[in-house]
C-alpha cells in the first residue's frame, strides 16, 4: 500500500494507492464499520465481504434520492449504529455520494471512508468531500462538503467494469488534462482505452495522477470560491443534459466539454478545440449532439454555479489551463444555439 495524506480545512484524508479490498480491515474495525454498497458489487465481491456488516442498495442514479437516505437511516438505527460507527462506501459515484451524505447527517456526523470501484469514482466522484443527492432533474441539488477519512484504491476492482463505465471515467480524466495538465493530455493522445485496460502499472499511475490533481485543487479551494470551479469544466451543460436525456455522466460531460471548447474559441481565444474533440472521441465518448437548447437552458439556469446574473462558465485559454468566465445567460444561450 502506498500512503499519501492530504490536509483539508478541518480534517485529513488518507489515500491508500496500490492497495487491495482485503486490506480494508487494517483501516477500520470490522465490528464498528458498516459497508454501504449495491447489488451488483455485493454479488461480485460477496466472498471478500464475509463477516462485514453491510447495507445493500439497488444500483443506479435514480436511487440517489432522499428516499434512499431515509431507508439507510432506518437500517442504521436497527443496526444500532452510533457515533463510533464508520460507514464505508464500496462502489461508484452514486454509492460514495449516498454514503458521504448519510454519514454527514446521521447523528450529526459519523466517520466515513470510500473504496471506489469505478474509474469515475477513483479519479473524481470519491475525492473532495462533495456528497449530494438529486432532486428531480436537478443533479446534486442537496448535499454537503465533508471529507472522507480515507480512500482505498484497488484497481483490480475495475476488471469487472463494463466498457461504458471505463469511458465514463475517462471523461473526467480528459477534463483534468484539459484544465490542469497538458502533459497528461499528451499521454492520453499517445495511448488508448485498451492500452490502459491491459497495463495495470500504467492504469495505477493514471489513477494516482488524477487523484492527486483533484485533491490539490480541493485542498487549495475546498468550498468552491475560486479554483475548484475549474473542475466543473464540461459539467454546466453536461448536468443539464444528463438527467433530461438519460445519458451517463461521462457522456454528458464529454458533450459539455466539446461545446465548452468551442465556446472557448469564441470567447477566450482558445485555438485547440479540435484537439480536445478528437481526444474525447478517441476514448469512445460522444462529442456533438442535437438537443433542445431551450429545455437544456431551463435546467442550466438553476445550476449551482450561477451567481447573481451571470453563470460562471469554465473555459480553456490553452490545453492544460482552465479559466472561470462569467457569462450572462442570454449571451450563453445565443452562443450555444449558434454552434
Amino acid at each position: 500500500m502506498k500512503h499519501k495524506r492530504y490536509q483539508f480545512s478541518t480534517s485529513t484524508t488518507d489515500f491508500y494507492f496500490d492497495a487491495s479490498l482485503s486490506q480494508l480491515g487494517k483501516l477500520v474495525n470490522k465490528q464498528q464499520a458498516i459497508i454501504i454498497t449495491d447489488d451488483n458489487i455485493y454479488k461480485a465481491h460477496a466472498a471478500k465481504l464475509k463477516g462485514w456488516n453491510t447495507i445493500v442498495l439497488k444500483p443506479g442514479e435514480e436511487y440517489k434520492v432522499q428516499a434512499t437516505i431515509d431507508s439507510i437511516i432506518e437500517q442504521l438505527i436497527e443496526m444500532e449504529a452510533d457515533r463510533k460507527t464508520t460507514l464505508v462506501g464500496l462502489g461508484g459515484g452514486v454509492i460514495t455520494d449516498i454514503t458521504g451524505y448519510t454519514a454527514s447527517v446521521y447523528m450529526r456526523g459519523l466517520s466515513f471512508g470510500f473504496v471506489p470501484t469505478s474509474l469515475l469514482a477513483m479519479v473524481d466522484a470519491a475525492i473532495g468531500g462533495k456528497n449530494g443527492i438529486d432532486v428531480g432533474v436537478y443533479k446534486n441539488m442537496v448535499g454537503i462538503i465533508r471529507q472522507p477519512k480515507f480512500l482505498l484504491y484497488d484497481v483490480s476492482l475495475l476488471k469487472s467494469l463494463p466498457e461504458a463505465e471505463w469511458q465514463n471515467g475517462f471523461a473526467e480524466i480528459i477534463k483534468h488534462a484539459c484544465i490542469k495538465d497538458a502533459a497528461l493530455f499528451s499521454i492520453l493522445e499517445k495511448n488508448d482505452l485498451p492500452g490502459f485496460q491491459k497495463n495495470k502499472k500504467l492504469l495505477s499511475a493514471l489513477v494516482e495522477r488524477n487523484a492527486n490533481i483533484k485533491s490539490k485543487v480541493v485542498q487549495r479551494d475546498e468550498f468552491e470560491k475560486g479554483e475548484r470551479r475549474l473542475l466543473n469544466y464540461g459539467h454546466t451543460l453536461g448536468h443539464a443534459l444528463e438527467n433530461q436525456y438519460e445519458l451517463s455522466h461521462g457522456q454528458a460531460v464529454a458533450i459539455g466539454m466539446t461545446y465548452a471548447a468551442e465556446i472557448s474559441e469564441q470567447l477566450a481565444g482558445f485555438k485547440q478545440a479540435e484537439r480536445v474533440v478528437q481526444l474525447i472521441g478517441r476514448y469512445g465518448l460522444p462529442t456533438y449532439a442535437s438537443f433542445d437548447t431551450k429545455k437544456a437552458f431551463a435546467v442550466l439556469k438553476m445550476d449551482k454555479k450561477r451567481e447573481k446574473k451571470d453563470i460562471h462558465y469554465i473555459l480553456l485559454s490553452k490545453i492544460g489551463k482552465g479559466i472561470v468566465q462569467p457569462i450572462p445567460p442570454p449571451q450563453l444561450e445565443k452562443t450555444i444555439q449558434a454552434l
Side-chain angles (χ1 to χ4, degrees):
M1 272 201 296
K2 198 169 170 188
H3 177 227
K4 189 154 194 180
R5 176 169 284 178
Y6 278 96
Q7 175 70 50
F8 297 103
S9 61
T10 56
S11 62
T12 57
T13 301
D14 290 305
F15 286 74
Y16 297 95
F17 296 107
D18 296 331
S20 143
L21 177 56
S22 59
Q23 293 169 300
L24 181 61
K26 292 180 181 171
L27 308 185
V28 286
N29 177 339
K30 228 179 198 181
Q31 273 63 54
Q32 291 184 319
I34 296 172
I35 292 176
I36 297 178
T37 190
D38 71 33
D39 272 330
N40 295 342
I41 293 152
Y42 188 76
K43 283 186 190 117
H45 305 290
K48 288 179 186 161
L49 298 176
K50 247 200 177 100
W52 288 89
N53 303 308
T54 49
I55 292 175
V56 183
L57 308 176
K58 287 179 180 155
E61 179 86 28
E62 64 269 34
Y63 295 105
K64 203 176 99 168
V65 290
Q66 187 62 45
T68 304
I69 309 298
D70 295 343
S71 81
I72 294 169
I73 287 170
E74 280 167 20
Q75 289 177 72
L76 290 175
I77 293 167
E78 270 173 44
M79 293 163 102
E80 297 183 2
D82 61 23
R83 286 192 168 163
K84 287 202 166 67
T85 303
T86 298
L87 299 189
V88 180
L90 171 67
V94 171
I95 288 292
T96 58
D97 257 338
I98 285 173
T99 305
Y101 181 63
T102 307
S104 302
V105 295
Y106 183 76
M107 290 194 169
R108 298 204 182 98
L110 305 183
S111 176
F112 65 98
F114 297 143
V115 183
T117 60
S118 72
L119 187 59
L120 180 71
M122 285 187 183
V123 299
D124 182 56
I127 303 165
K130 276 188 180 181
N131 308 285
I133 53 171
D134 302 340
V135 180
V137 293
Y138 303 109
K139 269 188 68 71
N140 304 321
M141 186 53 100
V142 175
I144 39 79
I145 294 180
R146 189 161 170 261
Q147 302 301 337
K149 269 270 162 276
F150 67 86
L151 279 102
L152 180 79
Y153 282 85
D154 178 351
V155 294
S156 74
L157 298 173
L158 300 176
K159 275 201 210 101
S160 56
L161 272 195
E163 193 74 358
E165 281 303 321
W166 283 92
Q167 292 164 345
N168 251 341
F170 268 95
E172 295 293 350
I173 291 168
I174 291 167
K175 176 197 78 179
H176 287 153
C178 285
I179 59 166
K180 277 281 163 199
D181 193 341
L184 173 59
F185 197 95
S186 300
I187 291 169
L188 294 171
E189 285 181 315
K190 288 188 189 86
N191 291 285
D192 58 14
L193 193 50
F196 282 110
Q197 287 168 323
K198 284 191 212 93
N199 188 331
K200 192 182 170 192
K201 208 172 161 195
L202 195 64
L203 181 62
S204 287
L206 181 75
V207 165
E208 190 174 335
R209 182 173 187 142
N210 278 274
N212 286 329
I213 289 171
K214 180 159 185 187
S215 298
K216 282 174 183 154
V217 170
V218 174
Q219 212 175 20
R220 291 190 292 262
D221 178 24
E222 193 170 351
F223 298 101
E224 208 169 306
K225 301 282 182 273
E227 188 187 359
R228 186 168 184 172
R229 287 178 176 155
L230 296 178
L231 296 171
N232 293 316
Y233 176 65
H235 284 61
T236 309
L237 178 60
H239 277 170
L241 298 175
E242 186 172 340
N243 282 358
Q244 278 194 35
Y245 291 94
E246 293 188 355
L247 296 166
S248 74
H249 182 69
Q251 288 171 329
V253 168
I255 294 165
M257 289 194 290
T258 299
Y259 285 92
E262 291 278 3
I263 296 166
S264 301
E265 286 212 331
Q266 293 192 23
L267 303 181
F270 181 56
K271 302 274 192 289
Q272 296 160 301
E274 204 175 309
R275 257 182 91 190
V276 173
V277 175
Q278 273 179 338
L279 187 65
I280 292 167
R282 185 179 181 83
Y283 285 86
L285 289 155
T287 50
Y288 297 97
S290 55
F291 55 89
D292 184 330
T293 329
K294 285 230 165 341
K295 258 172 96 175
F297 226 80
V299 179
L300 200 147
K301 281 196 299 219
M302 279 299 293
D303 193 279
K304 300 179 295 299
K305 292 168 279 295
R306 183 179 179 173
E307 270 177 37
K308 300 197 175 79
K309 290 203 168 60
D310 290 341
I311 289 174
H312 287 283
Y313 220 86
I314 310 308
L315 303 178
L316 303 175
S317 62
K318 60 182 183 188
I319 283 172
K321 189 162 175 41
I323 53 169
V324 182
Q325 181 122 340
I327 308 175
Q331 186 192 1
L332 184 59
E333 190 169 9
K334 237 190 179 131
T335 311
I336 290 172
Q337 271 171 341
L339 291 174

